[in-house]
């Protein structure tokens, strides 16, 4: 299974970015997909994940600013990030699993895409 993330880049504070992630090589459907991030010197943390049934789990720090959506029939997940802040700067990793469990990271990881929020 490969997860290919795209959409990262440099944006000014208050700006927006949209991340996309596509899963390929999976024989079975992905039932949970989402995003984690890791800032320099910090541990990897949950951003937002979504299940095949549409259940969402998001970090408090991004609620009201970030929105996750899915097209699981295409093995795709998206993260719309609005009102970006410098503290959102991190490498964002796509994550996926065949299970519906949103409480722990899935077994599959993408390579990461860098988001830099700076003026």
């Amino acid at each position: 299974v490969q997860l290919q993330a795209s959409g990262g880049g440099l944006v000014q504070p208050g700006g927006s970015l949209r991340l996309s992630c596509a899963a390929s090589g999976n024989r079975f459907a992905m039932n949970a997909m989402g995003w984690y991030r890791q800032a320099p010197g910090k541990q990897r943390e949950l951003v937002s994940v979504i299940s095949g049934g549409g259940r969402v789990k998001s970090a408090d720090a991004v609620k009201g600013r970030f929105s996750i959506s899915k097209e699981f029939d295409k093995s795709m997940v998206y993260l719309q990030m609005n009102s970006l802040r410098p503290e959102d700067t991190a490498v964002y990793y796509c994550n996926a699993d065949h299970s519906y469990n949103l409480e722990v990271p899935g077994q599959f990881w993408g390579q990461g895409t860098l988001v830099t929020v700076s003026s």
Side-chain angles (χ1 to χ4, degrees):
V1 175
Q2 290 187 328
L3 301 179
Q4 182 67 47
S6 61
L10 173 64
V11 64
Q12 291 186 343
S16 298
L17 282 175
R18 186 178 190 239
L19 304 183
S20 300
C21 176
S24 62
N26 47 307
R27 293 180 59 192
F28 304 102
M30 295 297 181
N31 292 308
M33 295 185 73
W35 301 90
Y36 287 73
R37 68 186 180 186
Q38 187 166 18
K42 295 187 176 181
Q43 289 188 331
R44 193 173 297 188
E45 63 180 7
L46 169 74
V47 178
S48 190
V49 291
I50 186 168
S51 74
R55 187 165 58 94
V56 174
K57 180 178 181 180
S58 298
D60 289 343
V62 306
K63 287 179 179 178
R65 300 187 299 121
F66 292 10
S67 176
I68 190 169
S69 60
K70 62 177 178 65
E71 289 184 283
F72 278 9
D73 57 333
K74 300 178 181 178
S75 296
M76 296 285 297
V77 67
Y78 310 95
L79 186 70
Q80 178 66 42
M81 304 185 293
N82 299 326
S83 302
L84 282 160
R85 304 167 180 168
E87 54 264 39
D88 295 317
T89 295
V91 177
Y92 284 69
Y93 294 92
C94 182
N95 180 257
D97 202 276
H98 299 305
S99 80
Y100 289 91
N101 188 1
L102 302 184
E103 302 307 313
V104 296
Q107 62 178 311
F108 304 112
W109 291 96
Q111 84 287 0
T113 184
L114 177 63
V115 173
T116 303
V117 185
S118 175
S119 55

